[in-house]
Amino acid sequence: MSETTTTDLEPAGKLDRLFRRAIEVALDEQGDFDPVIRPAQNPEFGDYQCNAAMSLAKSRGLKPRELAERIIEAVEPGDFIQTMEVAGPGFINITIDPAALGEMLQEMSGPDLGVGTPGAGHVICVDLCGVNVAKQMHVGHLRSTIIGDAIARLHERTGWTVHRENHLGDWGLPIAMTMSSLRDSDTNTAALTLDDLNRAYRDAQLSGRSDRRGLEGAIANGCGPHRVIELQEQNAGADEVIGRAKQVLLALQSGDPVMVAEWNDLIQCTMNEVFDTLSMLNVRIGPEHNRGESFYSRRLPEVVEAFVDAGIGIEDDGAIVVRIEGQERPLLIRKSDGGFLYATTDLAAIRHRVVDLGSERVVYVVDARQRDHFRDVFAGARLIGWDRTGEGIRSDLHHLPFGSVLGADKKPLKTRSGDNFTLRALLEEAISRGVAEVAARAADEQAPTHGMDEAGLHAIGRAVGIAAVKYADLSSGVMKDYVFDLDRMIAFEGNTGPYMQYAHARICSILHRATEEGVEWDHAAPEIGTIEEKQLAIMLLRYPGTVRETTDQLEPHRLCTYLYELANAYSSFYQGCPVLKADRPEIVRSRLRLCELVKRTLEDGLELLGIEAPDRM
Ligand code: ARG
C-alpha cells in the first residue's frame, strides 16, 4: 500500500507538512498534530485554511488566536506561501504564491502527471467478472467487471503488479446438470449454440428443483392428496435428475475424456459470448485471466486436509467444519457425502493468491449478497495462516461488495417479460443511444464532427454509450444500488460520462485551433494570474493525490467526483479567461498550457476508469 496519499506536488500536502512542523514549534511539544488543512471556504480570503489552532488551544488552556499567531511565526519561511492571516476565532487563512503554483504545475506535467508508482514492488489480485459457465451473463456481472477493471487499472497505474482473476463458475453440480441435460436431448456439444446452452441450463434447473418444504407444508396443512402426490413426484424426479448429474460430475472429475471434451465445449461456447460482450465494454479481461473453480478442484482434498491437520477442521456428523470465533454457524468445508463447497474453493483460491502469488491485497468485486460468505472464508483463511504471503506480510483480504442495478420501478432490473436483461442487450441499447446522440450533434454545421463519415461517427457514438453506462456505475459509489436510467446517463450535462468526454473534446478543439493558427505553447511556463486560473491550478495539482487515494480506498467514485470538479473548474476558467484572444502572447501560451494539462488529466482519469476520450464529439 502506498505510504501517503497526498503528494508533495499538491499544495495541501506541502502545507500539511509545513504546518505539522510549525505546530510542534509553536506548542513546544513533540507530537504528530494534524494541522487540519482545508480548502478555503471563500477564495477571496485565501486558498487554504489551517483549522487546528482552536482545538489545540482549548485542550491546553491557551487563547486560540494567540496560538494561531505563534503557528504562523513558526512556519518555515520560503516562497511557497504568499500570505497567512488569523481570522475569526483562530483560523489561519493561507494564500499560495501564484508563481509557486506555476512551478508545481510544471513539475506535474511529466508523462505520469505526477502520480508516481507508490505501489511498485507490491502485488494485488482483483477477483472480477466471475461469470458462470452455461449461464447468460447479466447485469449483475456488469458491475463486477466494470468496477474490477477500474480497480485493476488504478493499481497498475500506481505501480502495483496486478493479477486479474476471473473466478469462473466452471465446475460442480450446476454444470454437471447442464451437461446431463444436454446429453438427454442428444445435443452435439461440438456444435453447441448459446441457445442450446441456455435451454439446457433452464431445463436442468427446473427438473432438478425439488420442493421438500412445499411437500412438508402441503402435508401439514392438510392439502388434498393431489397436491401431495404432485409434489412427491416432483421430488422423486428431482432426485433422479440430480443423481444422474452426480454421475456426470464423477466422470468429469475422474478425467473421462468424453466428458472433459464436452465440458470444454460448454466453456468455449460460454466464453465466446462473454468475451464478445466484454469487448463492447472496453475492459482488459481476456482468456489469460480465467482461473475458475475447475483450476482449484484438484486442490480441494488437500485444503480440507490442511485444516484437519492443523486441528481447525473438525468432524461434525461426517462433515468437516471450521468453527469461527463469535459466530454461531461454523464454516462447512466438506459435506458428509464427501463433496466440497463454494467456500472450499475460495479457501484454495486465497492460498493461491496470497501464498503462491504473494498478493498483499486481494480485492473481491462481488455482489453484496455474498458478504457472509467472504466474511467466513476470510476468517477461515486467517485461522490457518493463508492470509500471509511467503514473506510473512499480512494480506488485506477485501470484499468490495456492490449494490444492485435497479429498473425505473426501483426493483432489480428486469425486462418487461420479467426476465433478467442480458448484458449484451443492455449495452447494445446504450450504444445505439450514443450513436443517435452523436449523429444528431454532427448535423450542426459548427460541430467538429460535421461531415465525418458514418464509421467515424459510429465509433464515437459507441464510446459515448459505453461511457454513459460505465461512468454511471462507477460514479455512484460502489456500495449503492442505482437506477439504470439511460436518459440520465447519456446526458451531456451533469456528472455523466458523456459530459466528461465532451469537456475533453472541447479542449481538443481549442488546442487544434491554436495549432492551426500557428501558436506554439510546448514549453510555456504556466503563469497564474486570475482567480479562475488559480482555482484551476489548485484543482489540477490535486490529481496525483486523488488517484492514489482512489486506489488506496478502492473508491472509483472519488476519481469521478474529482474529474467532474476539474471539468467545472475548467468551465469557469474558460468563461473568465480568454485563451486565444488573451492580451499578451505569453498569456495565450500559458493558458493553452493549462488547457493541455486539463485535457491530459481528463484523458488519463477517464482511462483509469476504462472510458475512452474521443478528440471530437
Ligand atoms: N461465480 C460466482 C457467482 O456468480 C462469483 C465468483 C466470485 N468470486 C469468488 N472468488 N467467489 O456467484
Side-chain angles (χ1 to χ4, degrees):
M1 271 117 280
S2 67
E3 282 70 35
T4 65
T5 49
T6 49
T7 65
D8 237 342
L9 257 187
E10 189 177 341
K14 214 163 178 161
L15 289 175
D16 186 287
R17 268 172 281 281
L18 284 171
F19 276 77
R20 219 169 263 269
R21 233 173 295 138
I23 291 172
E24 285 188 333
V25 175
L27 289 175
D28 194 18
E29 241 181 88
Q30 297 288 322
D32 198 18
F33 303 108
D34 180 1
V36 201
I37 302 291
R38 298 283 178 268
Q41 301 292 334
N42 182 342
E44 285 186 20
F45 300 129
D47 304 314
Y48 290 93
Q49 52 193 56
C50 160
N51 298 346
M54 281 82 73
S55 68
L56 287 173
K58 194 167 173 211
S59 56
R60 287 170 183 76
L62 302 169
K63 292 210 176 86
R65 287 187 63 103
E66 269 171 35
L67 178 60
E69 290 291 356
R70 292 220 307 259
I71 294 174
I72 289 177
E73 265 163 48
V75 172
E76 209 174 272
D79 46 19
F80 174 62
I81 298 172
Q82 193 172 43
T83 61
M84 289 179 272
E85 228 167 40
V86 179
F91 300 106
I92 304 174
N93 287 331
I94 308 159
T95 308
I96 308 293
D97 181 57
L101 288 178
E103 275 160 35
M104 290 171 96
L105 284 175
Q106 197 70 302
E107 231 178 288
M108 173 193 169
S109 67
D112 79 336
L113 291 170
V115 173
T117 52
H122 300 285
V123 183
I124 178 176
C125 252
V126 185
D127 186 303
L128 77 188
C129 189
V131 293
N132 298 309
V133 168
K135 216 174 150 184
Q136 276 262 17
M137 219 182 161
H138 58 78
V139 280
H141 297 114
L142 178 76
R143 300 209 71 188
S144 174
T145 301
I146 293 177
I147 299 164
D149 185 55
I151 298 290
R153 284 169 189 252
L154 284 158
H155 283 83
E156 279 157 359
R157 180 74 160 79
T158 48
W160 289 70
T161 299
V162 179
H163 296 282
R164 292 150 185 261
E165 301 270 306
N166 191 349
H167 193 90
L168 302 176
D170 63 356
W171 200 249
L173 205 54
I175 288 157
M177 283 175 71
T178 307
M179 284 175 70
S180 167
S181 156
L182 283 166
R183 305 201 118 221
D184 289 349
S185 60
D186 265 336
T187 310
N188 173 13
T189 56
L192 197 63
T193 67
L194 206 63
D195 281 343
D196 294 335
L197 201 50
N198 289 335
R199 199 174 324 108
Y201 177 82
R202 221 179 4 249
D203 289 352
Q205 293 296 309
L206 286 179
S207 55
R209 190 173 296 161
S210 63
D211 190 2
R212 282 182 209 294
R213 270 245 209 93
L215 180 59
E216 283 159 22
I219 295 169
N221 291 336
C223 279
H226 284 298
R227 180 73 188 125
V228 171
I229 289 170
E230 227 171 53
L231 287 166
Q232 271 167 342
E233 243 176 21
Q234 189 183 334
N235 284 344
D239 287 347
E240 208 256 330
V241 168
I242 290 171
R244 272 185 299 132
K246 280 189 174 165
Q247 293 290 311
V248 169
L249 185 59
L250 225 61
L252 186 61
Q253 272 167 341
S254 61
D256 176 311
V258 176
M259 287 300 176
V260 171
E262 286 182 14
W263 174 72
N264 268 318
D265 290 338
L266 258 71
I267 294 186
Q268 267 305 317
C269 179
T270 307
M271 295 318 279
N272 283 346
E273 166 73 4
V274 168
F275 289 127
D276 233 34
T277 310
L278 292 187
S279 73
M280 294 163 98
L281 261 182
N282 182 38
V283 287
R284 293 195 206 117
I285 304 175
E288 68 276 25
H289 304 119
N290 284 2
R291 189 147 20 219
E293 295 175 4
S294 63
F295 174 83
Y296 301 104
S297 64
R298 293 195 185 284
R299 306 179 177 198
L300 303 183
E302 77 198 46
V303 163
V304 173
E305 229 167 81
F307 273 91
V308 173
D309 289 350
I312 309 168
I314 303 160
E315 217 213 281
D316 180 17
D317 220 1
I320 305 287
V321 299
V322 176
R323 293 202 198 288
I324 295 165
E325 209 181 276
Q327 229 159 272
E328 206 179 313
R329 222 166 25 91
L331 173 64
L332 183 60
I333 59 173
R334 202 184 73 196
K335 292 189 280 188
S336 51
D337 67 4
F340 302 107
L341 299 105
Y342 184 51
T344 325
T345 304
D346 259 321
L347 285 166
I350 292 182
R351 187 178 62 173
H352 176 71
R353 294 165 179 189
V354 178
V355 183
D356 301 348
L357 297 178
S359 306
E360 285 161 59
R361 226 181 180 185
V362 186
V363 179
Y364 292 81
V365 188
V366 185
D367 197 309
R369 282 171 296 189
Q370 296 196 27
R371 193 173 267 136
D372 291 356
H373 165 73
F374 285 112
R375 181 199 56 207
D376 293 355
V377 164
F378 294 168
R382 286 185 194 112
L383 277 175
I384 199 157
W386 293 349
D387 62 332
R388 283 183 189 273
T389 68
E391 288 167 9
I393 300 169
R394 175 155 278 157
S395 179
D396 170 26
L397 304 174
H398 200 114
H399 177 207
L400 189 61
F402 53 78
S404 310
V405 183
L406 307 177
D409 56 359
K410 304 271 164 66
K411 299 218 180 83
L413 193 64
K414 296 270 165 120
T415 59
R416 242 174 264 151
S417 61
D419 292 336
N420 280 327
F421 261 109
T422 66
L423 196 49
R424 182 191 273 279
L426 209 77
L427 297 178
E428 274 166 2
E429 164 85 9
I431 290 173
S432 79
R433 293 288 300 270
V435 170
E437 196 72 37
V438 168
R441 281 168 185 268
D444 180 349
E445 280 177 24
Q446 299 298 313
T449 46
H450 189 69
M452 204 183 220
D453 64 18
E454 194 147 332
L457 289 178
H458 193 273
I460 299 175
R462 182 191 188 85
V464 168
I466 295 300
V469 171
K470 288 178 110 174
Y471 193 90
D473 192 295
L474 293 167
S475 61
S476 71
V478 170
M479 227 92 107
K480 291 198 195 132
D481 296 346
Y482 71 91
V483 173
F484 194 90
D485 173 1
L486 267 178
D487 290 334
R488 178 184 59 82
M489 294 171 164
I490 209 119
F492 277 52
E493 290 96 42
N495 191 10
T496 69
Y499 171 72
M500 304 309 310
Q501 289 178 313
Y502 189 52
H504 169 267
R506 270 173 36 201
I507 306 176
C508 290
S509 297
I510 293 164
L511 296 175
H512 185 69
R513 216 177 319 139
T515 310
E516 275 183 346
E517 291 178 15
V519 187
E520 284 257 357
W521 68 88
D522 251 11
H523 298 286
E527 275 180 42
I528 305 303
T530 67
I531 283 206
E532 291 91 354
E533 286 172 321
K534 197 172 203 188
Q535 293 294 312
L536 184 59
I538 287 176
M539 190 58 83
L540 277 167
L541 291 168
R542 272 179 47 200
Y543 182 65
T546 303
V547 171
R548 291 184 179 198
E549 198 172 75
T550 301
T551 309
D552 278 0
Q553 306 291 318
L554 305 171
E555 289 179 335
H557 77 272
R558 283 177 189 251
L559 181 55
C560 297
T561 306
Y562 168 81
L563 293 175
Y564 184 53
E565 287 174 1
L566 175 64
N568 287 339
Y570 174 78
S571 240
S572 310
F573 156 80
Y574 190 67
Q575 273 161 32
C577 313
V579 177
L580 291 172
K581 296 204 161 43
D583 300 340
R584 288 185 287 126
E586 308 85 81
I587 302 195
V588 173
R589 285 200 290 270
S590 155
R591 289 188 180 159
L592 283 169
R593 194 74 203 283
L594 281 176
C595 288
E596 188 187 37
L597 257 181
V598 176
K599 171 203 130 61
R600 286 182 50 209
T601 306
L602 288 175
E603 189 182 6
D604 195 65
L606 288 174
E607 158 78 20
L608 291 178
L609 302 172
I611 294 175
E612 291 168 80
D615 283 357
R616 283 189 278 172
M617 272 172 75

